[in-house]
Every structure is written in C-alpha cells, then in structure tokens.
Amino acid sequence: MPEPETQGNSPRTVGDVMTRTVISIGRAAPFKEIVRTMEQWKVSALPVVEGEGRVVGVVSEADLLPKEEFRDHTPSRIEQLRVLDALIKSGGVTADELMTAPAVTVHADATLAQAARTMAWYRIKRMPVVDAVGRLEGVVSRSDLLKVFLREDAEIAEEVRRTVIGQLFAHREHDLTVRVFEGIVTLSGTLADTALIPVAARLARAVEGVVEVDIQLRGGSGRS
C-alpha cells in the first residue's frame, strides 16, 4: 500500500501509519491461546478488550516470559521483593491475570513525534490506538513510526524551501540553497541576519523525514 502524502506543513499523525486490522483478545483468553495468537500473527503484544471493544489492557511477550523464567526456579525472599510483579504473573493463566493495565494508548490524531515519545518513555514496542471512549481503532508500532523516514529527498527539499526558506526569509536578504541527500538537509549560502541561522536549523530539523541538518550558512550582505 503506498504511503499517504503529506499535505502542506501538517505533520503526519498516528492515523496515517497505524495498522487498522487488529487482532485482540478478551480477558478470559487462556495462556496458550495468547501464545498461539502471537505466533500466528507475528506480533509481540495483544490488546485486551471488553464490551464493545474498549481496551482494558495489553498482554506482551514480557508479560508471558515469567512463566518460563520461574518454571524451575523459586526466588529467595529478597529476590521476591525485586521481581514481585513478574512472580505474580508467572502464576497467571488468563489474559486478565497476565495483562498490563491500564494500557498505554494513543489517539489517531496524535503526531508521530508524540507517539514516539510515549513509546520511548514506557519502553513499549506496540501501542493500541483508541477513540475518545477507549474503543480499539488500530495499533501503531515502532516500525510504523519510522515510515516517515521513507519520504523522498525531493519531497523533503521542497518542504524545507517552502516552509523554512519561503516563510522565514520571505522579506529578508539571503542567498540560500537547500540540498537533501538520504534525508540529510544541507543549508548553504549567505544571510544578512546571522541570528536566524539557528532558527532555520531548528525549523528544518522539524520537517518530517529529516535525518539531520548540515548548516553551511555564513553572514554577509546577501542579495535582495
């Protein structure tokens, strides 16, 4: 399926990249069914839903591993305090007993940057996408968030020229060029107002798909 085009300067949202066909399980799903479902669909986590699809938790591989971790090992009393949560989950047999709740979720209108920060903060690989009342709409993964870096260099360069150079320097003297190779933006030329150099760099770095910004700007009289 082709990637959606970015219109104007609107950042891509979770809704642009998320997977809409989602496999979920109920609270009563047994342990082996959860493992089989993960293996069948090649996913590392499953949303747990109830009622009309409201997300109540997530079962991940990390929630299942304690079953094997403590299969032939009884931790000491000191160890039990350190791994209490994992020890409790090692005895779980249903999704309700194994899931992490409440689930860390995101809305479809969140930006990719917002979703990435949430995933990084909670150290998770997949995150359910829910509507205003918590019903499951899709799932977004780390790989989904990286799709923004598939933008073509020419598309990135055009957006930098339009939204950075065109707006920031529309009424200022400059002699600037924009080149993009493998997502790396090079800004070169001369500026009458060198105070705007860090501003230009920050705005260019904020364009989606940009890997890095190489500043080769210098002060000068520029041209009208």
Side-chain angles (χ1 to χ4, degrees):
M1 181 180 295
E3 286 299 306
E5 293 183 0
T6 302
Q7 300 296 326
N9 195 32
S10 299
R12 290 189 182 185
T13 66
V14 168
D16 294 327
V17 301
M18 72 182 187
T19 300
R20 296 180 182 273
T21 302
V22 186
I23 305 303
S24 61
I25 54 176
R27 287 181 179 269
F31 188 98
K32 292 193 71 171
E33 178 186 323
I34 297 170
V35 176
R36 282 195 296 265
T37 303
M38 285 184 176
E39 173 62 24
Q40 178 182 355
W41 294 96
K42 306 302 180 186
V43 295
S44 59
L46 293 166
V48 182
V49 300
E50 66 177 7
E52 298 181 349
R54 187 172 61 85
V55 177
V56 294
V58 171
V59 174
S60 69
E61 292 171 337
D63 295 318
L64 303 179
L65 282 176
K67 181 75 71 177
E68 180 66 17
E69 180 183 355
F70 298 110
R71 181 173 57 84
D72 59 358
H73 169 64
T74 301
S76 66
R77 186 167 299 179
I78 294 177
E79 287 178 310
Q80 289 178 23
L81 295 176
R82 182 174 55 85
V83 296
L84 181 59
D85 186 60
L87 191 60
I88 292 172
K89 289 190 176 184
S90 71
V93 295
T94 66
D96 189 50
E97 297 166 334
L98 294 161
M99 69 182 184
T100 297
V104 178
T105 61
V106 67
H107 294 299
D109 60 358
T111 66
L112 301 191
Q114 290 169 337
R117 286 193 291 269
T118 300
M119 281 189 174
W121 178 261
Y122 289 99
R123 298 182 180 180
I124 54 179
K125 298 178 181 179
R126 291 166 59 85
M127 189 162 52
V129 183
V130 299
D131 64 13
V133 295
R135 288 189 296 255
L136 184 64
E137 290 191 317
V139 167
V140 66
S141 68
R142 291 177 179 176
S143 61
D144 292 328
L145 300 183
L146 292 175
K147 289 178 182 177
V148 69
F149 293 106
L150 297 177
R151 292 185 76 187
E152 296 292 337
D153 288 342
E155 182 184 354
I156 296 172
E158 191 279 330
E159 184 171 338
V160 172
R161 293 188 188 101
R162 185 181 70 253
T163 64
V164 180
I165 307 303
Q167 294 181 19
L168 190 60
F169 302 105
H171 306 293
R172 294 182 173 89
E173 293 183 348
H174 70 82
D175 181 9
L176 304 180
T177 60
V178 177
R179 300 191 310 275
V180 181
F181 179 72
E182 293 286 60
I184 299 175
V185 176
T186 300
L187 297 178
S188 59
T190 57
L191 283 176
D193 186 356
T194 57
L196 290 174
I197 291 178
V199 179
R202 178 174 56 81
L203 293 177
R205 193 171 285 111
V207 170
E208 291 186 330
V210 170
V211 175
E212 186 53 271
V213 177
D214 180 16
I215 299 297
Q216 297 181 11
L217 300 175
R218 60 190 181 277
S221 59
R223 69 184 183 191
S224 337

